[in-house]
C-alpha cells in the first residue's frame, strides 16, 4: 500500500483521522483542545514552504464548493469549515503559523465525488509521477 502520513496519505488522514473522528462541528472545540494539549494530531494544517495561508487551499476550497454544487455537499465539510474557523481565530495556531494547506479540502472533494479513501494516495501520486518523468 502506498501510504505514509507525512507525504502521500495526508489527504486520507485529514478525512479519516481528523474530520471523521471529530464527527460533528459541535465536537470541534474539544478536538482543538486535544491538539493544543498534544493528544491529537491535526493533519492538513501547516506547510514547510507556505508559512501563511496556503494559496492552493483557497483554490481547493473554491473547487470544493463547485463540486458540491454539482454532486451534493459532503457532510463533513461543515466540520472542516468549523475546524478551520476555530483554528484561524486561536492564538495557538496563529502563533505557530498553522493554516490549512491544499490537502485539507481535497479529501472532501474526492469523497463527494464518490471515491473511496483508499484511492486518495493514488490521486496524490499521479501528478508526482508525471513530475518525476519530466525531470
Amino acid at each position: 500500500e502506498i501510504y505514509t502520513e507525512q507525504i502521500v496519505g495526508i489527504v486520507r488522514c485529514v478525512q479519516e483521522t481528523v474530520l471523521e473522528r471529530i464527527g460533528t462541528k459541535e465536537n470541534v472545540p474539544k478536538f482543538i483542545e486535544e491538539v493544543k494539549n498534544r493528544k491529537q494530531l491535526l493533519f492538513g494544517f501547516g506547510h514547510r514552504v507556505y508559512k501563511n495561508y496556503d494559496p492552493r487551499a483557497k483554490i481547493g476550497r473554491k473547487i470544493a464548493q463547485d463540486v458540491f454544487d454539482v454532486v451534493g455537499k459532503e457532510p463533513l465539510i461543515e466540520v472542516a469549515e468549523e475546524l478551520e474557523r476555530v483554528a484561524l481565530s486561536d492564538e495557538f495556531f496563529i502563533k505557530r503559523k498553522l493554516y490549512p494547506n491544499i490537502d485539507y479540502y481535497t479529501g472532501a472533494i474526492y469523497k463527494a465525488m464518490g471515491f473511496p479513501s483508499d484511492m486518495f494516495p493514488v490521486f496524490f501520486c499521479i501528478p508526482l509521477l508525471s513530475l518525476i518523468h519530466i525531470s
Side-chain angles (χ1 to χ4, degrees), residues 14 56 88:
V14 170
R56 303 168 307 158
L88 293 182

Side-chain angles (χ1 to χ4, degrees), residues 57-74 77 81 105-106 108-110 112:
K58 290 180 182 178
I59 296 167
R61 187 173 189 178
K62 169 71 172 95
I63 290 171
Q65 294 305 320
D66 293 345
V67 169
F68 301 151
D69 288 346
V70 174
V71 300
K73 194 171 188 179
E74 161 55 38
I77 195 64
E81 290 171 340
Y105 286 102
T106 306
I109 295 168
Y110 294 158

Side-chain angles (χ1 to χ4, degrees), residues 22-58:
I22 294 171
T24 67
K25 63 183 184 176
E26 290 76 25
N27 295 332
V28 167
K30 179 180 182 240
F31 183 82
I32 289 285
E33 286 306 311
E34 290 175 349
V35 169
K36 289 162 58 172
N37 292 321
R38 304 196 189 289
K39 294 180 180 175
Q40 291 285 354
L41 295 175
L42 179 55
F43 296 101
F45 273 67
H47 193 275
R48 61 174 200 251
V49 174
Y50 299 112
K51 299 303 178 195
N52 293 307
Y53 201 102
D54 182 345
R56 303 168 307 158
K58 290 180 182 178

Side-chain angles (χ1 to χ4, degrees), residues 98-126:
L98 295 174
Y99 302 95
N101 59 44
I102 184 61
D103 302 317
Y104 189 67
Y105 286 102
T106 306
I109 295 168
Y110 294 158
K111 189 168 182 189
M113 294 172 70
F115 294 109
S117 61
D118 289 347
M119 292 298 296
F120 297 178
V122 175
F123 295 145
F124 183 90
C125 286
I126 290 170

